[in-house]
Amino acid sequence: MSAAAQAIPLSARIQRIKPSPSMVARDRARQLQAQGRDIIDLTAGEPDFDTPKHIAAAVVAALEAGETRYTPVNGTPTLRKAIIAKLARENGVQYEINQIAVGSGAKQVIYNALAATIGSGDEVVIPAPYWVSYPDMVLACDGTPVVVPCGENAGFKLSAEALEQAITPRTRWVMLNSPCNPTGAFYSAGEMRALTDVLIRHPHVALMTDDIYEHIRFDDGPPVCPVVIEPGLAGRTLLVNGVSKTYAMTGFRIGYGAGPVALIAAMNTIQSQSTSCVSSTSQAAATAALNGDQSFVAEARAAYRARRDRAVALLNAIPGLSCRSPDGAFYVYPSCAGLIGKTTPEGKVLETDFDIVMHFLDAAGVAMVDGTAYGLSPYLRLSIATSLSNIEQACARLAKACAALR
Ligand code: PLP
């Protein structure tokens, strides 16, 4: 029998989606590093800090207390109470225990919500630039992503007019991510109000807000929570958050959703038939993170702010690049329009942001992700979740590589 005849046929679902481009870029950088190449990796979507000690210690304590079994599907009551307290304390919103779902990262929470609510022909409005996983998750759940380009002139943000135009009778969700990966754009209370004013007129549309970078914000302003701004949306809003970015806990895989009881119950049904529940020890760690000392959060924010300021200044000094200062998250998203059409010393014409990313990897040993992956070109996404000295060295290498272009 030939190999082709033996192959297990793949589903239509898997043929619609692709591996996460940021993870592909990271693997590419790691492979080159493993081959001995000197690569500064600016692809990472995770904090470079260690998880605070009191959080790690909670794992040991949970193990010693015998917390090694399945937990309730939707999370331990202790963790859900910690999440409710956090949402009340920091965001000014009140939830009951059956309105909270705990999943393996915000990623699984978003996936569960889509799997529980959308099907063929259902549309999900996604402002671009977007986090790479949103459109593919919608496709995996048989829905149709409706991508709305939000250019740099609009601050990379969805306007009320653009939202209004994107809504059709088939729209099920609008997904907002603030601060945004990759642009760092943050919706002010006024901007959020303009969007909630549109949504209140379209009762068939639900709102999903991905607040995973909530605490990595550089203006020190109060949180902006759509259900506080417009309580009329509480029955059709899912707040998504987690501990990965705020507390440097990406490997723990804890995210959560807060929303209407029926939606949360449906998400839990999906989870009960897929992963059962999240790791018991990770839930203990997340409880410690939410209930414990918060000083790490401000320290990390100050470090990211210093890195952002340095990265933006250095990138803007490179002819061909121009970089807006992000409001939050730990990425910068410079335009590379000024490099398109240039020729490398080897004679290759740089036609896309992907060409530029590959050239910077080859010629400068700096790894990043192309804007195409995030739905808006020509841009580059560089993670600043790395040391100041890495940022400085990387920018020096990029400046040299750009100077060699014709
Ligand atoms: N949402 C956004 C915008 C992200 O950038 C990421 C991770 O990169 C996630 C969600 C997923 O976070 P978690 O680790 O909680 O799954």
Side-chain angles (χ1 to χ4, degrees):
M1 223 190 276
S2 74
Q6 286 173 346
I8 297 174
L10 301 180
S11 66
R13 167 171 300 116
I14 192 67
Q15 291 171 44
R16 283 196 296 268
I17 66 174
K18 58 182 182 311
S20 160
S22 49
M23 293 198 171
V24 170
R26 192 160 196 201
D27 287 348
R28 196 165 51 220
R30 282 181 175 166
Q31 273 166 20
L32 290 175
Q33 283 169 334
Q35 289 163 18
R37 285 274 314 272
D38 168 22
I39 304 289
I40 303 178
D41 182 4
L42 303 183
T43 64
E46 61 182 341
D48 55 321
F49 302 112
D50 289 337
T51 308
K53 290 224 163 19
H54 71 280
I55 298 176
V59 174
V60 178
L63 285 172
E64 281 171 356
E67 290 176 30
T68 55
R69 303 188 187 281
Y70 292 132
T71 75
V73 172
N74 46 352
T76 62
T78 324
L79 174 54
R80 279 179 288 149
K81 282 181 196 153
I83 292 165
I84 289 170
K86 178 267 179 233
L87 291 170
R89 181 176 72 235
E90 296 183 351
N91 307 87
V93 274
Q94 306 297 330
Y95 287 94
E96 301 296 327
I97 198 137
N98 58 354
Q99 293 187 281
I100 306 295
V102 173
S104 288
K107 199 170 205 169
Q108 192 192 14
V109 173
I110 297 168
Y111 190 88
N112 286 350
L114 293 171
T117 55
I118 66 170
S120 179
D122 289 335
E123 296 175 358
V124 177
V125 174
I126 304 174
Y130 46 69
W131 180 41
V132 290
S133 293
Y134 296 149
D136 285 72
M137 286 199 211
V138 170
L139 289 168
C141 295
D142 302 334
T144 305
V146 175
V147 172
V148 182
C150 303
E152 194 167 344
N153 289 342
F156 297 120
K157 284 184 266 197
L158 182 68
S159 67
E161 297 71 35
L163 173 59
E164 185 78 61
Q165 276 176 20
I167 292 175
T168 75
R170 297 308 307 263
T171 307
R172 298 295 310 278
W173 288 99
V174 175
M175 298 178 79
L176 289 183
N177 172 213
S178 172
C180 168
N181 172 8
T183 62
F186 178 77
Y187 289 82
S188 69
E191 288 161 343
M192 189 61 85
R193 169 95 253 166
L195 297 177
T196 59
D197 283 351
V198 174
L199 291 175
I200 209 78
R201 292 198 296 274
H202 297 278
H204 67 293
V205 181
L207 172 64
M208 198 184 305
T209 63
D210 178 346
D211 302 337
I212 197 83
Y213 296 100
E214 170 184 35
H215 283 291
I216 307 172
R217 235 182 93 191
F218 306 124
D219 65 349
D220 293 324
V224 172
C225 186
V227 293
V228 172
I229 291 177
E230 179 45 78
L233 287 179
R236 50 186 164 108
T237 297
L238 179 69
L239 303 185
V240 179
N241 208 329
V243 295
S244 288
K245 318 284 180 177
T246 302
Y247 302 101
M249 291 177 69
T250 45
F252 287 76
R253 311 306 306 126
I254 298 281
Y256 56 88
V261 173
L263 171 66
I264 296 294
M267 290 163 60
N268 288 329
T269 303
I270 299 272
Q271 182 150 301
S272 77
Q273 297 292 16
S274 53
T275 57
S276 294
C277 65
V278 174
S279 144
S280 55
T281 50
S282 287
Q283 293 189 60
T287 306
L290 294 171
N291 287 346
D293 176 20
Q294 301 293 307
S295 47
F296 170 80
V297 180
E299 285 160 24
R301 180 168 44 237
Y304 294 130
R305 185 189 281 116
R307 295 163 177 189
R308 173 203 65 170
D309 291 345
R310 193 83 187 112
V312 168
L314 291 172
L315 290 169
N316 278 327
I318 300 176
L321 295 181
S322 107
C323 189
R324 206 173 162 273
S325 186
D327 308 319
F330 42 62
Y331 312 98
V332 287
Y333 199 63
S335 162
C336 55
L339 300 181
I340 299 285
K342 300 247 181 200
T343 308
T344 69
E346 296 74 37
K348 179 175 168 41
V349 179
L350 300 174
E351 285 170 1
T352 63
D353 48 21
F354 183 74
D355 288 348
I356 294 172
V357 163
M358 294 312 284
H359 179 64
F360 283 160
L361 187 59
D362 274 354
V366 180
M368 60 195 76
V369 191
D370 52 301
T372 311
Y374 302 91
L376 195 77
S377 292
Y379 287 89
L380 308 170
R381 190 197 77 164
L382 286 69
S383 169
I384 52 167
T386 189
S387 66
L388 265 178
S389 96
N390 266 353
I391 290 170
E392 286 166 359
Q393 257 193 65
C395 290
R397 291 184 186 189
L398 296 183
K400 201 168 156 209
C402 287
L405 297 171
R406 284 176 281 118

